[in-house]
Amino acid sequence: MNDKLNRDAAQGAGQPQGASRARGASNGLVAIMAKEFRRFFTDRRMVITTLLLPGLMIYATYSVMGSAMQTMFSVSEDYEYQVAAVNLPASIKPLTEQAGLDFVEIDPASTEQIAQIKQRLSEKDYDLLAVFPADFDARLQSTLGGDAPPSTTPDIELYYNSTHTQSATAHSLALGLLDSYKNALLPLFSVNANSDVAYDLVTKEDEAGFMLSMLLPMFMMIVLFSGAIGVAPESIAGEKERGTIATILVTPLKRWQLALGKVVSLSCIALLGGASSFIGLMASLPRMLGASGAPAGDGPGVLLYSTTDYLMLLLVIISTLLLFIGLISLLSAFARSVKEAGTLVSPLMILVMVIGALGIFSQSAQENLLFYMIPIYNSVQCMVGIFSFTYDTAAIALTLLTNLVLSGVCVVVLTKMFNSERIVFSR
Amino acid sequence: MGGTDTILQVTDLSKTFKLSAKQQRLENTSEKLRRAVDRLSFTVRKSEIYGLLGPNGAGKTTTLRMLATLIRPDSGDALVDGYSVVHEPQQVRSRIGFLTSELKLEEFFTPSYLFDFFARLHNVDPALAAAHKQRLFERFGIGEFSEVKVASLSTGMKQKASLAISIVHDPAIIIFDEPTNGLDVLTARVVTDYLAELRDAGKTIVLSTHIFSLAERLCDSVGIIVGGQMSVSGTLDEVRAGKDLEDRFFDLYQQQAGEAA
Ligand SMILES: Nc1ncnc2c1ncn2[C@@H]1O[C@H](COP(=O)(O)OP(=O)(O)OP(=O)(O)O)[C@@H](O)[C@H]1O
Ligand SMILES: [Mg+2]
């Protein structure tokens, strides 16, 4: 509207009784924000559904998922492998106990029993079948003596099922056992012979960070977006639907104060919801990481990152939330009802999920700075960078700037929408 | 008209709406545009109750919304206490109280909180607001309901709370669309009595109604709108011209219908 003309002019004259301009224009902005907070924090139902439930649910889901993965991808220590051997040579027998494989010996003549074991292996009901040549030890001696042609080198057959965790483990145990026996007989050279040394130099950070950088960005984006959906349509489309926004619009409150006040306060509330989810995730992390084989360490995953990492993450999250709230607010202001707002927002939700999912496939953060000017994508890449310890501070700065500028644009457009009678009184 | 005691001067105010396809279907019409208010002019003097009278769809609500700066006129202007609704809406907003049944109070909050909230939006000094709240709530018997959520209030109590809150900043002009709509006779009487009281205290009130008896009882001046146009405007006695207001309306209505045909 044309209130720019008179914003400052003629303010002294003819003031209505009781009004005082002295306390500045920020009063209205503060009042709008205070109302949004009050609306939220004095409503027990809202506090429970947006603050407590997300964190609790994520903790519960991921803890259960972590435990399930643990049983899926690892073999418990007291598991007894179901292994059988045909013609188990006398030379190898003494070594089997140390390897943890207690072979059942099968008569080479009972072909039926052998076939049955193979069947059970394919049904994941058995772990390993080792078939040795009948004269294994004798042929081994002649090979070692060098007086036998290479074609007579004895061959051992190991039958297993690679999709069955226990079977795959039994297979590698058997391979290890045979390998070390071979090395003992013919020590040409050895690899990683010292069992006291940890040869895999992956750091605890790397392994855990890799896991987190894959999953967390998408997870965070979805959590942040759902948090924003939880508050913005209700506050904007809801007020429009119920006719309470028009009551505010007849006061001298500036439209930009209404727009900015809503966007900022709703972002704060959504941030708390996001924090709840984040805490839930971090608390469930030890189980998740334990399950993936990454060393979970003694403490929760939280300890992996430095304070600076967390600060960066927080800044990225805040700027992302502001943008999300800004975008959802625009769609909500456009909608005639909360329900319609939900319909309008869902394509955006899908977009956020897809872009978040792209983050799963990035090993490390995008290096080309220009990409950090693409909203949503930039947030995902920043998170990938932070979680995988590969972030570039310039990229984060550019992301923050982009998101803040775009949120500002959202506030400006929202102000225009609040000024438009077509939007406020749409029929 | 337009002497020194004029507080509201409306000149050639017009508003045309684009009808949506849905609205065309609902109203069974093929016209794309609806001229809701058509070059409307009238004057309201200080400390009077002015009633806009007209049948459904005459354009009363649209006119009042333009005066309240919620919608912009296509052409024409209105000066509220000397400020243009087109060019100085911010000034107008701080001088008027606007009340209609479509403007709702947020159900989640209490009348007391909402009063304070709107006092802040109007930049009213907190101490003044508190005293004003006490006085108004007592006047309307809201006192014991002041901490009850609006959602739990009766329609009448809601209307009284809305009225109190709409004048939180003690405006010089009160614009009231259908003040007694949906109220029982008792509550309606409380509201109309209060409007008369405000007028006696020097406030100016512009209201709309399609109830002629109400206008006759309450208003000092009236304007009769038919089809978005002002048929006649003046003091109650001038408009009545010795007749019953309702009969006068039918005369005017038939006259206008005859002209249209
Ligand atoms: N936002 C809008 N979009 C389209 N048409 C509208 C809009 N607002 C009002 N109208 C139309 O303008 C005309 C005047 O409406 P208005 O609400 O001003 O009448 P009114 O005198 O208040 O009637 P009532 O006594 O029924 O309240 C009506 O035909 C209405 O359908
Ligand atoms: Mg009306």
Side-chain angles (χ1 to χ4, degrees), chain A residues 302-314 391:
Chain A
V302 193
L303 301 174
L304 288 173
Y305 300 98
S306 72
T307 319
T308 321
D309 295 339
Y310 275 105
L311 188 70
M312 292 294 168
L313 182 62
L314 184 68
Y391 70 83

Side-chain angles (χ1 to χ4, degrees), chain B residues 198-234:
Chain B
L198 283 172
R199 182 246 335 259
D200 297 342
K203 306 291 180 193
T204 309
I205 291 137
V206 181
L207 56 82
S208 81
T209 184
H210 52 254
I211 307 168
F212 291 88
S213 58
L214 176 74
E216 274 187 309
R217 188 165 54 76
L218 192 62
C219 296
D220 305 298
S221 297
V222 294
I224 294 181
I225 315 187
V226 179
Q229 290 179 331
M230 185 65 84
S231 291
V232 61
S233 171

Side-chain angles (χ1 to χ4, degrees), chain A residues 311-331:
Chain A
L311 188 70
M312 292 294 168
L313 182 62
L314 184 68
L315 290 176
V316 170
I317 286 177
I318 290 175
S319 75
T320 310
L321 259 180
L322 276 170
L323 181 64
F324 280 170
I325 292 281
L327 291 173
I328 298 175
S329 296
L330 290 188
L331 293 171

Side-chain angles (χ1 to χ4, degrees), chain B residues 40-89:
Chain B
L40 202 72
S41 300
F42 62 97
T43 313
V44 178
R45 281 171 297 136
K46 214 171 166 133
S47 308
E48 72 168 350
I49 299 185
Y50 184 95
L52 274 180
L53 275 163
N56 293 133
K60 305 182 293 292
T61 300
T62 307
T63 304
L64 295 189
R65 278 184 179 172
M66 286 190 281
L67 298 184
T69 74
L70 278 175
I71 61 179
R72 279 165 69 83
D74 300 332
S75 60
D77 200 349
L79 295 182
V80 177
D81 204 7
Y83 293 97
S84 155
V85 294
V86 177
H87 303 294
E88 299 157 299

Side-chain angles (χ1 to χ4, degrees), chain A residues 2 6 13-14 16-18 20 27 30 35 38-39 42 242-243 246-247 250-252 255 421-422, chain B residues 15 18 23 70-72 87 90 93-95 103-104 106 108 113 117 120 122-125 128 169-170:
Chain A
N2 276 4
N6 59 290
Q17 179 191 338
S20 122
N27 207 6
V30 174
K35 190 202 72 172
R38 190 187 175 94
R39 171 76 188 86
T42 55
R242 294 187 293 269
T247 319
V250 288
T251 71
R255 274 49 176 159
E421 58 189 66
R422 285 241 216 140
Chain B
K15 183 74 187 178
K18 285 197 186 68
Q23 217 177 337
L70 278 175
I71 61 179
R72 279 165 69 83
H87 303 294
Q90 203 72 6
R93 284 174 200 137
S94 57
R95 282 166 179 79
L103 299 194
K104 302 266 168 47
E106 253 177 281
F108 179 79
Y113 176 79
F117 172 66
R120 284 176 84 179
H122 277 288
N123 262 313
V124 181
D125 181 80
L128 272 178
H169 52 308
D170 200 13

Side-chain angles (χ1 to χ4, degrees), chain A residues 85-88 104-114 117:
Chain A
V86 179
N87 296 325
L88 187 64
V104 177
E105 291 192 47
I106 309 275
D107 182 356
S110 64
T111 49
E112 198 178 309
Q113 200 182 355
I114 292 172
I117 288 178

